[in-house]
Amino acid sequence: PTPVSDAPRPAGELERAPVVEEQPDHAQPREGAEHEACRLEHDLGEAVGEISRPGLLAVVLVAAWLTAMARGYALRRQLLDQPGERRSHAVATPRGGGIAIVASQLLACLCIGVLFPAAAATLAVFSAGLLLVAGIGWWDDHRPLPALPRLAVHVLAGLLLAGLVWHWTGDAFRAASSALLAIGLINV
């Protein structure tokens, strides 16, 4: 590109606008929640590399141990899911094993929140939604509930997730899509 100057141009030559190279999106200054999200993502990204392997191993071990405990509990209480038309298993299967996954995830969220206080509020809201879904599922395993109360709790949990997505992205479409996807996946 020809440099822009104040010198007169020969007749017939078009004036060229100065060339401005675009900065990559991550280099643009950000404001408010978007800036906070980028900073948190960067800080977490650096720290996760340091603790991810031992942390992941700990979560897996806790989940495996709690799954064995939940399975034993379900067998003692005769909390068995019988095979049927809408079931994927062919033999009676103990209910409630998902509580072990939830408990291990809550433990992971707590640990991350303590290690990275900037993430604590987000993790608390996420954990509240997780507890709602797990709690209504546990209740339903012990005393079957009608579909409407379960769906209402699932919608509430989906709205909590949508609130987080909206807070961190500012995008209402992504927030609504996240809520609908979460509600759908919970009920598959």
Side-chain angles (χ1 to χ4, degrees):
T2 307
V4 177
S5 71
D6 292 334
R9 296 188 187 339
E13 185 178 311
L14 296 176
E15 184 175 329
R16 294 184 181 173
V19 176
V20 178
E21 291 186 26
E22 281 192 41
Q23 296 289 325
D25 189 43
H26 67 281
Q28 296 294 327
R30 298 179 186 261
E31 298 177 10
E34 189 177 358
H35 173 71
E36 187 180 344
C38 287
R39 185 180 52 76
L40 180 60
E41 181 181 345
H42 178 265
D43 292 349
L44 284 176
E46 285 185 357
V48 165
E50 296 174 20
I51 63 170
S52 63
R53 285 192 179 107
L56 181 59
L57 179 61
V59 168
V60 168
L61 292 175
V62 167
W65 177 70
L66 290 174
T67 299
M69 301 283 289
R71 184 178 186 278
Y73 173 83
L75 290 172
R76 284 190 304 279
R77 300 277 314 256
Q78 292 296 306
L79 298 172
L80 301 174
D81 202 9
Q82 300 299 327
E85 184 178 311
R86 296 184 60 209
R87 306 284 188 235
S88 61
H89 50 272
V91 296
T93 304
R95 291 181 174 188
I99 200 73
I101 305 301
V102 169
S104 67
Q105 292 306 301
L106 291 173
L107 180 61
C109 287
L110 176 66
C111 291
I112 293 169
V114 168
L115 292 171
F116 307 104
T122 296
L123 291 168
V125 173
F126 174 80
S127 296
L130 187 58
L131 275 171
L132 284 169
V133 172
I136 200 75
W138 185 257
W139 187 354
D140 187 48
D141 284 345
H142 286 77
R143 291 182 186 84
L145 293 170
L148 194 55
R150 289 191 324 260
L151 181 61
V153 170
H154 296 164
V155 168
L156 179 58
L159 291 174
L160 287 173
L161 178 62
L164 287 176
V165 171
W166 194 356
H167 172 75
W168 288 108
T169 67
D171 187 333
F173 178 76
R174 284 183 186 174
S177 297
S178 296
L180 292 173
L181 184 61
I183 294 164
L185 288 174
I186 292 167
N187 288 285
V188 168

